[in-house]
Amino acid sequence: MPNNPRSGNPVQTVVAIPGLTKFAYQALQQGKSLLGLAHKEASTKLMELVSPSGLPPTLPTPPELLAELGRSMDALIALDWQHAEAGIYPTGLLFDAPWLDWASRYPLVWLDMPAIWSRRSQRKVRDLPSEVNPAAYPDYYLQNFHHQTDGYLSEHSANLYDLQVEILFNGTADPMRRRLLEPLLRGLCYFSSRPACQVRVLDLATGTGRTLRQIRAALPQAQLVGLDLSTSYLRQANQWLSQLAGELPQLVQGNAETTPFGPATFQAITCVFLFHELPGEARQKVLAEAFRLLEPGGIFMLADSVQLADSPQFSTVMENFRRVFHEPYYRHYITDDIEAKLKQAGFSPISAESHFMTRVWAARKPV
């Protein structure tokens, strides 16, 4: 495996010729998109036969919306390649996924579906393992988000999560996560006089560690820390992250509203796909905590679902997402003024941009 000249980390390369590498990446993404669409089509037809009561009423998707979604996805993939080609992260990261492991877990996704359909039809949204101690978690967390088995509180859930998200987003979950890397690196230029090994980055609600894995490729020498409420998901994150070269990220169990870290501990903080699963008050607490944890001049990167204000053309998609999946705070999230919340927490300046179904905010703690 050749070394990436920017990072010094070994990066697997599919082929040596850039044009062929780009073609391979485009073919990979197209294949993942087709597989995701085929899976959803097959599972919907099976649910119509086996559990029609579990089918949620959704809004029709007109052809012009499908075309707009396709154009937006193509733009995301094109930008993903451009950033890799520019050296923001190694090209090998575009192909970084545990394919054989996911293939072995894919049958479990199908075996899990009857339980999901039953839970959805019965509106059981707090069907959690009996050994879970409710006092150890905030009440809003004790739910079956996405109707998934055990919520976020079991090894079974953690084992299937990454694959389920890949299917949900037709293979674009990682390209959307990577949209925070370029503004993250730009934001960290403030600390360019500091040795790279002294830069600390915290990933809030790190889950299975996919975002940390992306950050490690772009910042191979930085000290990385991941925090999550679920010990099951942290164990899965440890499994994935321990396969990487370099220092193993530190993984900590805790609540993003009240972390165990001291003030001004980090130069950058990231938070991906968390806010749409938080009530409004909790969102503000997380922002206040991120502000406390950042060193002055530090950068906070937030990535989550697009909102009605920035992506009104996708309003039908947002509404159907809310109807199909148990997302109790999503309707409030898509109308929430995140920039105002960032300002209230003390961040300035603030910038934001949208990529396919993800909105990315960059906010700095003033010096």
Side-chain angles (χ1 to χ4, degrees), residues 194-210:
R194 190 171 302 185
C197 61
Q198 293 181 16
V199 171
R200 302 193 76 210
V201 181
L202 169 66
D203 185 40
L204 296 174
T206 197
T208 61
R210 290 300 295 173

Side-chain angles (χ1 to χ4, degrees), residues 283-360:
R283 287 178 212 136
Q284 193 66 63
K285 288 181 178 179
V286 171
L287 292 178
E289 181 68 355
F291 190 85
R292 182 185 74 86
L293 294 176
L294 279 174
E295 180 180 336
I299 189 76
F300 176 61
M301 296 300 311
L302 172 65
D304 214 293
S305 167
V306 291
Q307 298 182 293
L308 290 174
D310 59 80
S311 302
Q313 72 275 25
F314 296 146
S315 59
T316 298
V317 179
M318 293 181 231
E319 176 61 20
N320 284 342
F321 176 75
R322 184 190 67 81
R323 293 187 183 195
V324 173
F325 299 95
H326 177 62
E327 291 285 2
Y329 311 110
Y330 187 72
R331 175 179 281 179
H332 182 270
Y333 164 80
I334 60 176
T335 60
D336 198 6
D337 190 339
I338 300 300
E339 184 169 346
K341 277 183 159 55
L342 286 163
K343 289 179 179 177
Q344 183 179 336
F347 290 100
S348 180
I350 301 163
S351 62
E353 53 188 30
S354 297
H355 303 280
F356 187 41
M357 298 308 297
T358 292
R359 183 77 167 166
V360 179

Side-chain angles (χ1 to χ4, degrees), residues 218-247:
L219 293 168
Q221 298 181 59
Q223 299 178 43
L224 303 186
V225 181
L227 179 130
D228 201 272
L229 269 169
S230 173
T231 53
S232 296
Y233 275 64
L234 289 174
R235 278 191 285 271
Q236 180 67 82
N238 184 68
Q239 177 183 332
W240 293 141
L241 295 170
S242 62
Q243 300 168 2
L244 298 177
E247 182 181 348

Side-chain angles (χ1 to χ4, degrees), residues 11-12 14 25 28-29 32 90-105 162-163 166 171-175 177-178 209-210 213-214 217 239-240 243-244:
V11 177
Q12 186 174 0
V14 175
Y25 173 59
L28 173 66
Q29 287 301 135
K32 289 198 293 183
T91 305
L93 189 62
L94 304 177
F95 304 91
D96 179 44
W99 303 113
L100 292 177
D101 198 301
W102 282 355
S104 68
R105 300 183 193 201
D162 283 331
L163 181 54
E166 279 294 305
T172 62
D174 278 344
R177 286 188 186 100
R178 284 194 285 269
R210 290 300 295 173
R213 195 173 174 103
Q214 312 279 319
Q239 177 183 332
W240 293 141
Q243 300 168 2
L244 298 177

Side-chain angles (χ1 to χ4, degrees), residues 76 79-80 83 88-89 174-188 201-203 210-212 214-216 218-219 268-273 299-304 353 355 358-362:
L76 168 70
L79 184 61
D80 198 28
H83 281 181
I88 294 169
Y89 40 84
D174 278 344
M176 287 193 289
R177 286 188 186 100
R178 284 194 285 269
R179 300 290 56 82
L180 63 74
L181 294 180
E182 190 274 335
L184 172 64
L185 295 181
R186 240 189 307 124
L188 282 172
V201 181
L202 169 66
D203 185 40
R210 290 300 295 173
T211 300
L212 279 178
Q214 312 279 319
I215 295 171
R216 171 57 78 215
L219 293 168
I269 296 176
T270 59
C271 183
V272 180
F273 300 154
I299 189 76
F300 176 61
M301 296 300 311
L302 172 65
D304 214 293
E353 53 188 30
H355 303 280
T358 292
R359 183 77 167 166
V360 179
W361 288 266

